[in-house]
Amino acid sequence: MKKNNSKAVLSFLFCVKILFTGMGMAENTSIPVSVGVVLDLDSDLDGRIALSCIEMALSDFYATHGDYKTRLVLNTRDSMKDVVGAAAAALDLIKNVEVQAILGPTTSMQANFVIDLGEKARVPILSFSATSPSLTSIRSTYFFRATLNDSTQVNAISALVQAFKWREAVPIYVDNVYGEGIIPYLIDALQAVDARVPYRSVISPSATDEQIVEELYKLMGMQTRVFIVHMYRSLGTRFFAKAKEIGMMSEGCVWIMTDGLTADLLSSPNPSVTETIQGVLGVKPYVPSTKEIQDFRVRWKRKFQQDNPYIIDAELNIYGLRGYDAATALALAVEKAGTTNLGFRKANVSSSSSTDLSSLGVSLNGPSLLQALSNTSFKGLTGDYHFVDGQLQSPAFQIVNVNGNGGREIGFWTPKGLVKQLVPSNGTDSTSVSGISTVIFPGDTTAIPKGWGIPTIKKGLRIGVPVKSSLRQFVDVKRYPSSNMTIVTGLCIEIFTTIVERLPYVLPYEYVPFDKPDGKAAGTYDDLVYQVYLKNFDAVVGDITILDSRSLYVDFTLPFMDSGVSVIVPIESHNIENAWFFWKPLTWDLWVSSLLFFVFIGFVVWVLEHRINGDFRGPASHQAGTIFWFSFSTMVFAQRERVVSNLSRVVVIIWCFVVLILTQSYTASLSSLLTIQQLKVTDVNELVNKGEYVGYQKGSFVLGILLGLGFDKSKILAYNSPEECHELFSKGSGYGGIAAAFDEVSFIKVFLSKYCSKYTMIDATFKTGGFGFVFPKGSPLVPDISRAILNMIGGDKMKETQDKWFANQTSCPDSGTSVSSNTLSIKSFWGLFIIAGIAALSALIIFIVMFVHQEGRLVLRPSDSTTSIWSKIRHLFSIFNQRDFTSHIEVNDRNGIHLPSMGTANQSGNSAHTEIHGYPSYAGCDTSRNSQAPQVTSADQLTDPNQERPVKDNQRSNVNHETPPRTDQRSNAIIHQRTKSYQYSYSL
């Protein structure tokens, strides 16, 4: 009984509290604030779902914020899925209702117009479903994207492409602002992970099923098998249905849906729809599954069913959650902005203006509400809610895989990469394929597709091959009209066939000759390569050189053969029966220089030896002959004259070394000329400077190299075969022929194998990239074939293949050992000549200085002013021409008998040799043999250096000398022989 009484009292008190609370609220009158809602409500389920969520958001908000003074009043307009309808609805709400803000519109195209109206009237526009990045370019401060920008998901998509190592992807998108807005960002993101976009498939919003199928067949005809779909649900549903119908939802294909389509198709799964997208990957913003969302979902389901009893099994989607949070953010901002200026300032317009835009007012509360929205931050159903530059931010995207009747979560994307769980495992986030769960791809397989495949509507790859009239060892096209067959063979063809057999998959292909109806080549190699860019061929196989200019529009595999451009020149055989053949080892400048130095060195030695060495004295003709004889005899080291001066010895030693080098070099060069063939051309610059005619293989890129080297185009001739090249060489340059031919090294080797004895390749190679196979830009076949090429090169198969096709090729010796390019010139010996010249000049200068210093003290003394300078110089020359008896140098005669220096007495006490009129005298001779010996001046009397030198005979007739004692017969014979030997050797 007591318990019942207490319960009654508590109930009474509770009722009283409710009564008084209601009276207080009645006294606190709220201020209504009009806001607009523009959605597609007529036939769009998302619009109705979003509207119900907005209404529930305001109801829930004011139930928990009863003390707020403001109350949002919704003014709903139906845009009727039309851009003009959305703009008209927004204009009506701003002009007639004077709303403070607008929630909506639904699509990006509608928002494009409505945003401009909001900017003009200063009315904030909050769209929770317009995701196109292009809306950002409008740069309206009154536009708030209450959802995620589509550009935020492109990194998640590119991370998937990178993780599975797919190299190409084709975006398929709807042809409107929504579809086009994401494409620039998506392409940039794919390129950042080295994936290219070879094609963009654009689907019209109003496309028929036939048009969709036509576009799908076009995709089937391409190699790429990774497709990224970005479109609305209605179009996407039909698109996937047709893709499955024609067999494109099978094994080998990869389909990725953007977040809009993923959310639309998986938020309320329809078995008929999910059946067509089995194995498809999708990305969508990550929204944690919290208890608040679960409770809200139950309440919303009940309310939506009451408001729309004819709609069955509707499911809450991301747009409803975004609408709920957007309404909550707007309610918070309106309360924060206050109610001071809720009116509009009318525009001043003339009465004649008939447009609604001209009379559009401006919201006085707009700037305050703008500031409040920018600073609004709270915990919403979708997570942390705040605007950054008018945009919502998402920390992660969820990766789903469609299996069964829904999407299976396989991982997440964060700015750190792909992860299996948002909570790091072992403190690290994985960014590889292992970072997400196993994916079941279309065809119910877990095997990762390559991302490309052979076009299913073609027989195989159309591979272009060049048609060649020569050098068919590389590529040879043979036609058989009787059987209408074309057989392609050659080294390049066999290498490609071997490589394709090593691929881990089957690659069907067919060879298509690049020719005209008459069987001739349809163009140059550049034209053939360009056909791949024009998509006329899927690849090109042949002796195609990898060039930078070609790589701008096609991709090459790694080279399967090294290459380069070199020069062919004819070999010149010398006519050794030519009488003047001996001149050839040395150039004319070296011959002249050698001759001048022989004379010069002989002259220097004569100057140094003339006063002290009797071998270099005598009549003028004798001395001139001695100069030439001595210098030229050094060539064979047969000089008989002795040199006694140290300066002369230094000069002769150095000159003998130079002569040794010259003679040995001449001998070697002459031997080379007699045994080794010579080149007519040795340098490319020589060809350019002389204006020679040169040749190249017709259609080759070598023409560009020749023009770059400076050759005149009029002097460049083309040939089609080795035979034509040989014929041009035979004619000669300037007579309709050529002096040299430029071609690729591989082709030159074939040419030389036929004409080895007549031509050679000089060492002037221009490097190229080698021979490679041609594919379209970004072709996924390039890395696989390149790896197969490396594998083939590393083994013996490549050598065996080359030996097979060049088995009959004659081996030519290297040009470096079979030809000699240059005769000897002054350039090879100028260093030796400089050394010899400096030594000779230095010795000559030293001698002149010493001579002038010794003899010129008296002759050139200043006190003798009456004598002219010329006379003094002549006097010096006369002194130079006299024999120097004061020299200490001893001279041996030619018979090996030692003679003491003039001016020195012999140890036996015999008189020294004397000289009158340049002839030697002797003492101790038999008087019967020389009874009329002239009187001479004793050498003992000339030992004083300052003593006056001997004068003429008539001035010295009174000079007496002591008659030497008589000697034995043997001594007389020796003296007589000595006197006779030197009778004509010494003179003044």
Side-chain angles (χ1 to χ4, degrees):
M1 189 69 180
K2 289 182 179 180
K3 290 183 180 180
N4 291 335
N5 290 335
S6 60
K7 288 182 178 180
V9 172
L10 290 173
S11 299
F12 175 76
L13 292 175
F14 182 72
C15 292
V16 172
K17 181 178 180 181
I18 291 176
L19 178 63
F20 280 99
T21 301
M23 292 176 62
M25 291 180 63
E27 292 177 358
N28 187 15
T29 305
S30 60
I31 301 174
V33 178
S34 296
V35 295
V37 179
V38 180
L39 298 171
D40 296 331
L41 301 174
D42 186 20
S43 60
D44 188 77
L45 181 61
D46 291 339
R48 293 181 178 273
I49 294 174
L51 180 60
S52 63
C53 289
I54 291 172
E55 293 173 347
M56 290 185 65
L58 296 181
S59 176
D60 294 345
F61 181 80
Y62 290 119
T64 57
H65 297 81
D67 57 336
Y68 276 25
K69 296 181 180 180
T70 56
R71 295 294 185 272
L72 298 186
V73 179
L74 300 179
N75 296 270
T76 306
R77 298 289 186 274
D78 185 6
S79 61
M80 297 176 292
K81 289 189 174 182
D82 184 66
V83 174
V84 178
L91 181 62
D92 174 59
L93 290 172
I94 294 174
K95 181 179 180 182
N96 300 324
V97 183
E98 294 186 349
V99 295
Q100 298 299 307
I102 293 178
L103 290 168
T106 304
T107 68
S108 298
M109 293 182 64
Q110 295 170 357
N112 203 7
F113 289 88
V114 174
I115 290 172
D116 288 335
L117 293 174
E119 181 73 18
K120 184 176 180 62
R122 294 185 181 178
V123 174
I125 307 298
L126 282 80
S127 177
F128 48 84
S129 57
T131 59
S132 174
S134 62
L135 299 178
T136 306
S137 62
I138 299 177
R139 302 187 184 280
S140 172
T141 56
Y142 284 86
F143 171 60
F144 289 85
R145 195 195 300 269
T147 184
L148 295 181
N149 190 329
D150 278 338
S151 63
T152 59
Q153 65 180 311
V154 297
N155 290 327
I157 296 173
S158 65
L160 279 174
V161 173
Q162 183 184 32
F164 290 103
K165 299 180 180 179
W166 296 320
R167 297 182 180 276
E168 288 185 350
V170 173
I172 306 171
Y173 57 96
V174 61
D175 189 13
N176 57 22
V177 174
Y178 170 74
E180 295 172 351
I182 192 177
I183 296 304
Y185 300 91
L186 179 60
I187 293 177
D188 289 345
L190 291 174
Q191 289 178 345
V193 295
D194 294 330
R196 64 184 290 266
V197 178
Y199 177 72
R200 293 185 291 180
S201 178
V202 185
I203 308 295
S204 172
S206 58
T208 63
D209 289 349
E210 290 76 13
Q211 291 172 330
I212 292 175
V213 171
E214 182 182 355
E215 184 65 22
L216 286 170
Y217 274 119
K218 186 183 296 184
L219 295 175
M220 290 178 65
M222 300 179 182
Q223 293 183 353
T224 308
R225 289 292 179 266
V226 179
F227 308 106
I228 302 171
V229 184
H230 179 68
M231 55 184 63
Y232 296 129
R233 178 175 58 187
S234 58
L235 182 60
T237 301
R238 292 194 297 127
F239 181 85
F240 280 115
K242 292 301 176 183
K244 182 175 178 61
E245 183 179 316
I246 67 174
M248 290 191 69
M249 299 301 297
S250 58
E251 185 177 353
C253 293
V254 179
W255 296 89
I256 303 174
M257 299 185 297
T258 58
D259 65 346
L261 192 57
T262 303
D264 286 339
L265 296 183
L266 299 182
S267 58
S268 55
N270 187 332
S272 62
V273 175
T274 55
E275 179 63 25
T276 63
I277 58 174
Q278 292 296 301
V280 175
L281 293 171
V283 297
K284 63 179 184 178
Y286 173 62
V287 177
S289 180
T290 60
K291 185 176 184 301
E292 289 78 6
I293 290 181
Q294 295 174 1
D295 293 341
F296 175 75
R297 191 183 301 275
V298 173
R299 291 191 300 113
W300 172 86
K301 185 108 177 150
R302 184 167 54 248
K303 181 182 184 302
F304 187 82
Q305 197 66 44
Q306 293 174 356
D307 296 341
N308 304 278
Y310 53 89
I311 301 178
I312 302 175
D313 294 333
E315 292 292 337
L316 181 65
N317 57 26
I318 187 64
Y319 298 113
L321 298 177
R322 296 289 187 198
Y324 185 96
D325 287 344
T328 302
L330 183 58
L332 284 170
V334 167
E335 179 68 21
K336 187 182 297 184
T339 58
T340 304
N341 299 308
L342 295 180
F344 274 65
R345 184 176 69 248
K346 299 298 181 180
N348 296 325
V349 296
S350 61
S351 58
S352 60
S353 177
S354 59
T355 63
D356 290 336
L357 291 177
S358 61
S359 59
L360 194 65
V362 176
S363 174
L364 299 176
N365 195 41
S368 300
L369 185 57
L370 174 67
Q371 185 67 26
L373 279 170
S374 300
N375 297 328
T376 297
S377 179
F378 63 96
K379 183 74 172 180
L381 290 179
T382 57
D384 294 333
Y385 199 95
H386 66 280
F387 292 104
V388 177
D389 295 329
Q391 309 276 334
L392 285 184
Q393 308 298 310
S394 176
F397 278 88
Q398 188 178 14
I399 312 297
V400 297
N401 184 207
V402 180
N403 296 121
N405 195 34
R408 179 174 60 93
E409 178 186 294
I410 59 173
F412 299 89
W413 177 87
T414 68
K416 294 183 179 180
L418 293 174
V419 293
K420 188 175 295 186
Q421 296 178 348
L422 284 181
V423 178
S425 177
N426 297 327
T428 60
D429 290 339
S430 175
T431 57
S432 62
V433 177
S434 60
I436 60 177
S437 300
T438 302
V439 179
I440 302 177
F441 292 99
D444 197 23
T445 177
T446 58
I448 300 175
K450 298 189 299 291
W452 64 274
I454 303 303
T456 56
I457 61 175
K458 295 183 179 181
K459 296 181 181 179
L461 295 179
R462 284 173 49 85
I463 298 180
V465 293
V467 175
K468 302 171 68 69
S469 59
S470 63
L471 299 173
R472 295 183 178 180
Q473 296 94 328
F474 297 95
V475 178
D476 187 16
V477 178
K478 295 180 179 179
R479 296 184 180 274
Y480 299 92
S482 58
S483 59
N484 196 23
M485 290 181 60
T486 300
I487 298 179
V488 183
T489 59
L491 172 65
C492 300
I493 302 300
E494 184 166 340
I495 290 175
F496 183 77
T497 302
T498 304
I499 287 172
V500 170
E501 291 174 353
R502 299 190 178 197
L503 294 177
Y505 46 83
V506 177
L507 182 66
Y509 60 89
E510 61 175 339
Y511 292 117
V512 181
F514 183 56
D515 59 358
K516 299 177 182 177
D518 59 359
K520 296 183 179 180
T524 64
Y525 274 39
D526 285 338
D527 298 331
L528 174 58
V529 172
Y530 197 67
Q531 298 302 310
V532 177
Y533 176 77
L534 298 177
K535 301 187 185 302
N536 294 329
F537 292 134
D538 298 315
V540 169
V541 171
D543 48 343
I544 310 297
T545 303
I546 301 173
L547 298 177
D548 175 67
S549 58
R550 294 172 179 172
S551 64
L552 296 176
Y553 47 88
V554 295
D555 275 352
F556 286 93
T557 63
L558 291 176
F560 59 87
M561 282 187 68
D562 292 334
S563 184
V565 176
S566 193
V567 188
I568 310 172
V569 295
I571 297 174
E572 178 183 10
S573 297
H574 290 294
N575 182 15
I576 61 175
E577 296 180 358
N578 188 346
W580 304 103
F581 181 75
F582 68 91
W583 289 103
K584 288 186 175 293
L586 307 182
T587 58
W588 68 268
D589 56 345
L590 183 55
W591 279 113
V592 173
S593 300
S594 301
L595 176 62
L596 294 177
F597 260 84
F598 272 115
V599 176
F600 174 67
I601 295 298
F603 171 75
V604 172
V605 173
W606 174 80
V607 171
L608 299 177
E609 296 288 324
H610 176 66
R611 301 192 72 229
I612 61 176
N613 192 337
D615 285 348
F616 292 87
R617 300 188 63 81
S621 59
H622 175 75
Q623 296 182 50
T626 302
I627 291 175
F628 284 97
W629 162 257
F630 179 85
S631 60
F632 285 102
S633 62
T634 56
M635 285 193 298
V636 291
F637 306 101
Q639 66 276 14
R640 298 177 58 190
E641 291 76 13
R642 302 292 182 90
V643 290
V644 296
S645 170
N646 286 334
L647 293 176
S648 301
R649 290 169 179 171
V650 171
V651 173
V652 171
I653 288 173
I654 295 176
W655 177 243
C656 286
F657 176 75
V658 174
V659 170
L660 176 65
I661 299 298
L662 280 174
T663 54
Q664 294 298 323
S665 299
Y666 177 86
T667 303
S669 181
L670 183 61
S671 301
S672 175
L673 290 173
L674 292 173
T675 58
I676 300 178
Q677 294 172 317
Q678 305 296 298
L679 301 181
K680 291 184 178 180
V681 179
T682 60
D683 186 61
V684 174
N685 293 327
E686 179 183 349
L687 294 169
V688 178
N689 297 333
K690 292 183 177 180
E692 298 283 5
Y693 284 83
V694 296
Y696 76 102
Q697 187 177 173
K698 188 175 182 180
S700 172
F701 67 93
V702 176
L703 176 60
I705 294 179
L706 295 178
L707 295 175
L709 290 173
F711 286 99
D712 192 331
K713 192 172 184 180
S714 62
K715 295 190 176 182
I716 302 176
L717 305 180
Y719 55 85
N720 290 309
S721 64
E723 292 74 18
E724 287 188 22
C725 181
H726 171 62
E727 184 179 349
L728 289 175
F729 272 120
S730 301
K731 293 179 180 179
S733 179
Y735 300 95
I738 57 177
F742 289 73
D743 212 331
E744 295 183 69
V745 174
S746 300
F747 302 151
I748 291 177
K749 291 180 179 179
V750 177
F751 176 84
L752 293 179
S753 67
K754 189 172 184 180
Y755 302 102
C756 184
S757 62
K758 297 181 179 181
Y759 307 97
T760 189
M761 179 173 61
I762 65 175
D763 188 15
T765 302
F766 306 90
K767 296 298 293 181
T768 61
F771 291 160
F773 302 127
V774 183
F775 288 90
K777 272 287 187 182
S779 173
L781 285 171
V782 171
D784 291 342
I785 291 182
S786 295
R787 279 191 291 269
I789 289 173
L790 289 177
N791 180 267
M792 185 175 179
I793 293 175
D796 297 330
K797 183 62 177 178
M798 181 64 75
K799 185 178 184 303
E800 293 175 1
T801 306
Q802 292 181 4
D803 292 342
K804 172 185 174 181
W805 287 98
F806 297 103
N808 298 326
Q809 179 173 323
T810 304
S811 177
C812 286
D814 295 337
S815 60
T817 59
S818 63
V819 295
S820 176
S821 59
N822 286 316
T823 54
L824 300 176
S825 67
I826 188 64
K827 295 179 181 179
S828 305
F829 300 96
W830 66 269
L832 289 173
F833 284 128
I834 288 179
I835 294 174
I838 292 176
L841 284 175
S842 300
L844 188 61
I845 292 173
I846 292 173
F847 172 79
I848 293 174
V849 170
M850 293 175 61
F851 174 72
V852 172
H853 176 72
Q854 180 180 354
E855 305 293 344
R857 289 180 297 176
L858 297 177
V859 176
L860 301 178
R861 60 181 181 270
S863 60
D864 191 4
S865 58
T866 59
T867 306
S868 65
I869 298 297
W870 178 243
S871 298
K872 294 179 180 181
I873 294 175
R874 289 177 61 188
H875 192 97
L876 278 176
F877 273 106
S878 64
I879 295 176
F880 169 76
N881 196 37
Q882 296 174 3
R883 178 65 180 271
D884 184 5
F885 293 102
T886 64
S887 174
H888 66 282
I889 299 174
E890 297 180 352
V891 184
N892 292 337
D893 68 357
R894 294 190 184 97
N895 295 321
I897 300 174
H898 177 74
L899 298 177
S901 299
M902 295 304 165
T904 305
N906 56 22
Q907 296 177 358
S908 62
N910 295 335
S911 308
H913 288 277
T914 57
E915 184 178 25
I916 299 177
H917 295 289
Y919 293 94
S921 179
Y922 52 88
C925 297
D926 191 352
T927 56
S928 63
R929 298 183 59 186
N930 194 9
S931 59
Q932 300 297 328
Q935 294 181 347
V936 297
T937 302
S938 174
D940 296 334
Q941 297 174 343
L942 299 177
T943 54
D944 186 3
N946 297 323
Q947 183 178 348
E948 186 177 354
R949 297 182 178 276
V951 296
K952 293 182 179 181
D953 294 343
N954 56 1
Q955 295 174 337
R956 295 293 183 98
S957 60
N958 58 347
V959 178
N960 296 321
H961 62 277
E962 184 180 357
T963 302
R966 198 170 179 86
T967 60
D968 58 13
Q969 185 177 359
R970 182 178 179 184
S971 298
N972 289 337
I974 294 175
I975 295 174
H976 177 72
Q977 181 180 0
R978 181 186 307 166
T979 305
K980 186 176 181 180
S981 298
Y982 283 85
Q983 185 174 2
Y984 297 102
S985 299
Y986 293 88
S987 63
L988 290 175

